[in-house]
């Protein structure tokens, strides 16, 4: 049966506001439609509330799926029983075990490292590049890339596309240098994929979702209704099991908030899956998150979004960057499209003695690595070293048609910190201090659009000059 709302605390948002006609239609479709449905929910339109309410109205067995543990935790915090929520990794792991009953599987988080280390060994070409090699391999697995040994029945066009795509991904990740070619990296990665694809007792978290996809494993229908939350953030391997584990599927997502392309998920997967399922689409366009002026600004990019009935006026104004430090206060957010400009603003705030941190400790990882390389190199011109690194990476990526902006962003951010800190040693200490995963409420929090997703503050400053048209 559906979720028993008499036995749990209904989400407070349901209690506080009257549901819109759109929300009621979407809830009814989730609960009672005789076909697959897709809820296209714009920012702040109450998609999670609608999903839970629709599940509660369903007179059948229900399971809610999400790709992230924190999303599952949020559903549980809103009263959904733990037995009716599941991560896609957990679901896919069940599929792997059911399709291979004679194997005693064990999760081995070091499996990829051991395979990669065994293949490249002490090859000087890959010195210091093992982490990047693993990242690219995981990204390719998220795209559903098969090892060459599984291309037997595929066309020449398919084979060439896969070869070209792997080279493009490698170039975009910067996994090359003056001595290591993109082709060398590709051979190493295809060798790693071959070993990763071997079904044996050890598997890592990426194997769990990759194996069912590349082997087209049978997925038993565990429930009558499967509700897939944040579907726009799922890659093709995650969606494979999610849409097969229930006799009827409700996809919930927003193509305008697909921000995980860097790990293999993009809006195309969500849109393609809607078409594959021939799902009936129900829009949620009324946002309860922002006041009228902010919604009017958002309508320039997403015309369909609407302000809630009774929304306040709100304020949207433009200030000069030179005045930002004097007007921003602890508790405020500052968002930018990329990191370089966040570091520029952070230095302004640091000089003004304003407590500020950049969201996400991983933000500085590549900058730390590059600074360490400079310190070991014996070079004495930090600016020249960083700009030469960026130039090499940009040229190599451009040759393969891969994105180049990331390398420029890292270089600009690092040079900004160096200008502020004054030396390589001071850069290191600054980088270790500037970024935090949970900065806390009593500081100014700076973050990229990606990292700020889902966060709310009364005042948000957007660095407008660094967003292109439609971003």
């Amino acid at each position: 049966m559906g979720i028993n709302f008499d036995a749990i605390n209904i989400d407070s948002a349901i209690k506080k506001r009257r549901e819109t006609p759109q929300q009621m239609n979407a809830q009814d479709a989730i609960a009672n439609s005789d076909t697959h449905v897709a809820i296209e929910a714009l920012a702040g339109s109450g998609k999670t509330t609608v999903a839970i309410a629709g599940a509660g109205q369903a007179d059948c067995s229900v399971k809610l799926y999400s790709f992230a543990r924190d999303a599952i935790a949020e559903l549980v915090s809103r009263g959904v029983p733990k037995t009716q929520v599941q991560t896609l990794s957990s679901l896919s792991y069940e599929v792997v075990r059911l399709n291979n009953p004679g194997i005693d599987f064990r999760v081995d988080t070091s499996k990829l490292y051991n395979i990669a280390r065994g293949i490249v060994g002490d090859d000087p070409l890959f010195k210091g590049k093992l982490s990047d090699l693993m990242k690219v391999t995981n990204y390719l697995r998220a795209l559903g890339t098969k090892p060459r040994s599984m291309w037997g029945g595929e066309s020449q066009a398919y084979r060439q596309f896969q070869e070209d795509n792997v080279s493009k991904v490698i170039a975009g990740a910067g996994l090359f240098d003056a001595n290591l070619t993109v082709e060398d990296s590709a051979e190493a990665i295809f060798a790693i994929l071959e070993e990763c694809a071997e079904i044996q007792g050890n598997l890592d978290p990426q194997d769990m979702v990759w194996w069912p996809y590349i082997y087209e494993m049978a997925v038993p229908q565990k429930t009558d209704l499967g509700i897939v939350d944040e579907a726009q953030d799922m890659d093709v391997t995650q969606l494979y099991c999610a849409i097969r584990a229930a006799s009827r599927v409700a996809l919930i997502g927003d193509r305008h908030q697909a921000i995980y392309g860097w790990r293999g998920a993009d809006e195309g997967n969500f849109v393609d899956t809607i078409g594959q399922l021939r799902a009936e689409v129900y829009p949620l366009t009324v946002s309860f998150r922002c006041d009228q002026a902010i919604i009017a600004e958002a309508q320039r990019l997403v015309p369909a979004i609407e302000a809630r009935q009774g929304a306040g006026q709100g304020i949207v104004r433009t200030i000069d960057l030179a005045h930002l430090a004097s007007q921003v206060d602890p508790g405020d957010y500052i968002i930018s499209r990329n990191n370089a400009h966040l570091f520029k603003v952070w230095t302004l705030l640091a000089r003004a003695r304003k407590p500020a941190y950049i969201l996400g400790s991983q933000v500085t990882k590549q900058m730390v690595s590059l600074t360490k390389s400079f310190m070991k190199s014996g070079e004495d011109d930090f600016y020249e070293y960083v700009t030469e690194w960026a130039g090499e990476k940009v040229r190599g990526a451009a040759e393969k048609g891969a994105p180049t902006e990331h390398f420029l962003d890292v270089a600009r951010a690092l040079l900004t910190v160096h200008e502020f800190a004054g030396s390589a040693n001071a850069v290191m200490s600054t980088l270790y201090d500037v970024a935090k995963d949970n900065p806390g409420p009593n500081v100014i929090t700076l973050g990229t659009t990606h990292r700020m997703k889902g966060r709310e503050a009364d005042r948000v400053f957007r660095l407008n000059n660094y967003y292109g048209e439609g971003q």
Side-chain angles (χ1 to χ4, degrees):
M1 298 295 290
I3 297 171
N4 179 7
F5 276 89
D6 293 332
I8 63 178
N9 293 321
I10 299 177
D11 183 87
S12 61
I14 298 176
K15 298 177 181 177
K16 291 180 180 178
R17 64 175 182 250
R18 181 175 297 177
E19 294 154 316
T20 67
Q22 284 184 339
Q23 288 177 324
M24 290 187 286
N25 288 339
Q27 290 169 18
D28 181 66
I30 291 171
N32 301 312
S33 176
D34 57 2
T35 187
H36 303 301
V37 299
I39 312 301
E40 292 232 45
L42 299 183
S45 59
K47 67 176 181 59
T48 303
T49 297
V50 166
I52 295 173
Q57 295 171 17
D59 188 21
C60 62
S61 61
V62 181
K63 201 86 169 183
L64 287 89
Y65 299 108
S66 182
F67 73 96
R69 291 180 183 273
D70 55 354
I72 293 294
E74 180 187 356
L75 290 169
V76 172
S77 72
R78 295 195 185 197
V80 181
K82 290 183 178 180
T83 56
Q84 293 183 276
V85 295
Q86 190 173 23
T87 64
L88 291 179
S89 292
S90 173
L91 168 64
S92 300
Y93 190 24
E94 289 183 9
V95 171
V96 169
R97 288 185 295 175
L98 286 170
N99 279 264
N100 299 275
I103 300 177
D104 183 18
F105 287 104
R106 181 176 68 87
V107 179
D108 181 3
T109 55
S110 64
K111 175 187 171 182
L112 178 58
Y113 171 84
N114 292 331
I115 289 175
R117 188 75 178 86
I119 287 173
V120 301
D122 295 322
D123 189 335
L125 291 177
F126 291 97
K127 185 177 181 180
K129 296 180 174 64
L130 196 59
S131 177
D132 290 336
L133 200 64
M134 293 165 60
K135 286 179 182 177
V136 171
T137 302
N138 272 337
Y139 178 77
L140 289 168
R141 288 196 286 175
L143 295 180
T145 307
K146 298 178 181 179
R148 286 171 175 154
S149 63
M150 298 182 70
W151 296 0
E154 304 292 351
S155 67
Q156 182 58 38
Y158 172 91
R159 294 165 180 257
Q160 190 61 54
F161 172 82
Q162 293 298 333
E163 294 281 0
D164 291 345
N165 191 55
V166 169
S167 294
K168 184 176 179 179
V169 170
I170 290 168
L175 190 52
F176 61 90
D177 56 30
N179 299 310
L180 177 67
T181 67
V182 169
E183 289 70 26
D184 290 334
S185 291
E187 290 304 314
I189 284 172
F190 274 118
I192 294 170
L193 287 174
E194 291 289 353
E195 291 199 27
C196 286
E198 293 180 10
I199 296 182
Q200 46 157 313
N202 288 8
L203 81 171
D204 69 9
Q206 194 71 45
D207 288 335
M208 293 179 190
V209 291
W210 184 52
W211 283 354
Y213 180 83
I214 64 172
Y215 287 108
E216 299 180 6
M217 292 182 181
V219 182
Q221 291 188 349
K222 298 175 52 183
T223 186
D224 296 320
L225 171 61
I227 301 175
V228 184
D229 193 23
E230 302 286 7
Q232 82 282 347
D233 289 334
M234 295 180 186
D235 61 54
V236 292
T237 65
Q238 293 169 322
L239 285 166
Y240 178 84
C241 288
I243 65 175
R244 289 169 171 78
S247 55
R248 190 166 66 85
V249 175
L251 296 174
I252 301 180
D254 178 7
R255 66 182 71 189
H256 303 288
Q257 295 189 69
I259 60 173
Y260 285 94
W262 56 271
R263 63 162 177 74
D266 62 42
E267 64 177 83
N269 298 336
F270 178 47
V271 175
D272 290 347
T273 304
I274 292 174
Q276 176 185 343
L277 294 175
R278 298 181 180 179
E280 294 181 351
V281 178
Y282 294 82
L284 294 179
T285 60
V286 178
S287 178
F288 294 84
R289 183 172 295 162
C290 303
D291 288 336
Q292 296 177 49
I294 293 87
I295 293 296
E297 188 77 7
Q299 286 172 336
R300 295 168 53 192
L301 308 179
V302 184
I305 195 168
E306 306 170 70
R308 69 190 184 281
Q309 186 176 4
Q313 184 59 40
I315 299 173
V316 174
R317 59 192 177 95
T318 301
I319 63 172
D320 191 273
L321 184 61
H323 301 141
L324 177 61
S326 64
Q327 299 196 33
V328 67
D329 294 314
D332 293 340
Y333 286 170
I334 299 174
I335 64 172
S336 176
R337 181 169 173 269
N338 52 35
N339 288 307
H341 302 107
L342 290 178
F343 280 90
K344 178 179 179 180
V345 171
W346 179 85
T347 62
L348 296 176
L349 298 177
R351 290 189 176 103
R353 299 186 180 281
K354 291 287 185 88
Y357 291 97
I358 294 175
L359 183 64
S361 60
Q362 293 297 307
V363 167
T364 60
K365 186 174 181 179
Q366 191 167 17
M367 289 188 282
V368 168
S369 177
L370 188 54
T371 304
K372 287 182 177 178
S373 296
F374 166 78
M375 296 171 73
K376 292 178 181 178
S377 70
E379 301 285 342
D380 56 5
D381 190 326
F382 191 82
Y383 178 87
E384 182 178 348
Y385 185 87
V386 172
T387 53
E388 285 185 357
W389 171 86
E392 179 185 45
K393 296 300 184 185
V394 167
R395 286 190 297 273
E399 287 175 2
K400 298 294 183 181
T404 61
E405 186 178 2
H406 165 71
F407 306 114
L408 296 173
D409 186 34
V410 170
R412 288 166 180 159
L414 189 51
L415 292 174
T416 296
V417 176
H418 185 264
E419 181 182 357
F420 170 80
S423 70
N425 283 326
V427 165
M428 291 294 289
S429 60
T430 300
L431 291 175
Y432 285 131
D433 291 339
V434 68
K436 293 183 180 292
D437 289 324
N438 296 294
N442 299 318
V443 299
I444 300 163
T445 302
L446 299 86
T448 59
T449 307
H450 160 69
R451 291 191 176 275
M452 286 293 198
K453 182 183 178 184
R455 292 175 173 263
E456 298 182 6
D458 290 336
R459 297 203 309 169
V460 177
F461 294 79
R462 187 181 74 167
L463 303 181
N464 278 0
N465 288 349
Y466 311 121
Y467 284 87
E469 186 65 28
Q471 296 176 324

